[in-house]
Amino acid sequence: MTTSWITRPETAADHGQIREVNLAAFPTSHEADLVEALRADPQAWIPGLSWVAQAPDGGIAGFALLTRCLVDGSPALTLGPCAVKPEHQRRGAGSAAIHAALRAAREQGENLVLVLGHAEYYPRFGFTPASGYSIRPPFDVEDKYMMALVFDPTRPVPTGTIRYPAAFGV
């Protein structure tokens, strides 16, 4: 069953519910703690690029976060964590939050988004292997899992190694 989701940027009042979504979606508190650490990092955090999908009851069902990273010194974005409460999974809440966050990034003039994730999931948003742009992560990972999305291929796309925000610990 697909639900029609209301998406919007997070507000300060959402922080507790966003933490709950991440705690419910993942086996440890790592992702929930990462979101809070990214929120506290003024070099990583970009206002308007943390999005939620609201459930019909008004609670938060899904979450997608874009933060600043660099590719050999040039600005880019990294997508994640993305999370959906288990009772809302496979109903479009995650996709709705991701689409909304990507749309907001494009509207803010961003051009490159990177994601380390499921090779079967992220291509639906336009992601392709980052290696196609000569972009690589600072760690070993199978090529198909490190992906890039370029909004405007007529603009320059940086090449090189990704530098994640310090909170990622890589």
Side-chain angles (χ1 to χ4, degrees):
M1 174 176 134
T2 302
T3 303
S4 190
W5 301 100
I6 295 170
T7 57
R8 60 175 175 75
E10 76 164 41
T11 67
D14 297 325
H15 292 183
Q17 281 193 69
I18 290 169
R19 183 168 180 82
E20 289 174 21
V21 169
N22 280 280
L23 289 172
F26 295 103
T28 71
S29 67
H30 176 77
E31 285 80 4
D33 295 341
L34 176 58
V35 170
E36 291 177 4
L38 289 166
R39 224 183 250 126
D41 180 349
Q43 294 184 337
W45 190 260
I46 302 171
L49 294 186
S50 177
W51 281 73
V52 298
Q54 281 185 252
D57 68 3
I60 294 174
F63 169 74
L65 177 61
L66 292 164
T67 52
R68 176 68 64 218
C69 68
L70 300 172
V71 176
D72 275 0
S74 296
L77 297 174
T78 185
L79 174 59
C82 299
V84 177
K85 277 190 157 178
E87 63 267 28
H88 296 294
Q89 289 176 358
R90 298 197 179 344
R91 294 185 179 163
S95 290
I98 291 169
H99 278 298
L102 293 173
R103 187 171 42 255
R106 187 180 306 113
E107 289 170 0
Q108 288 190 24
E110 299 289 343
N111 195 43
L112 174 62
V113 180
L114 303 161
V115 67
L116 175 64
H118 296 283
E120 300 78 33
Y121 183 74
Y122 290 99
R124 72 182 70 179
F125 303 100
F127 286 92
T128 60
S131 61
Y133 296 98
S134 298
I135 297 170
R136 61 194 168 281
F139 43 77
D140 289 331
V141 64
E142 195 174 335
D143 190 55
K144 67 181 181 177
Y145 299 116
M146 187 74 248
M147 293 170 271
L149 171 63
V150 174
F151 294 128
D152 181 355
T154 66
R155 289 175 50 192
V157 177
T159 62
T161 303
I162 304 163
R163 192 173 94 222
Y164 288 93
F168 281 92
V170 295

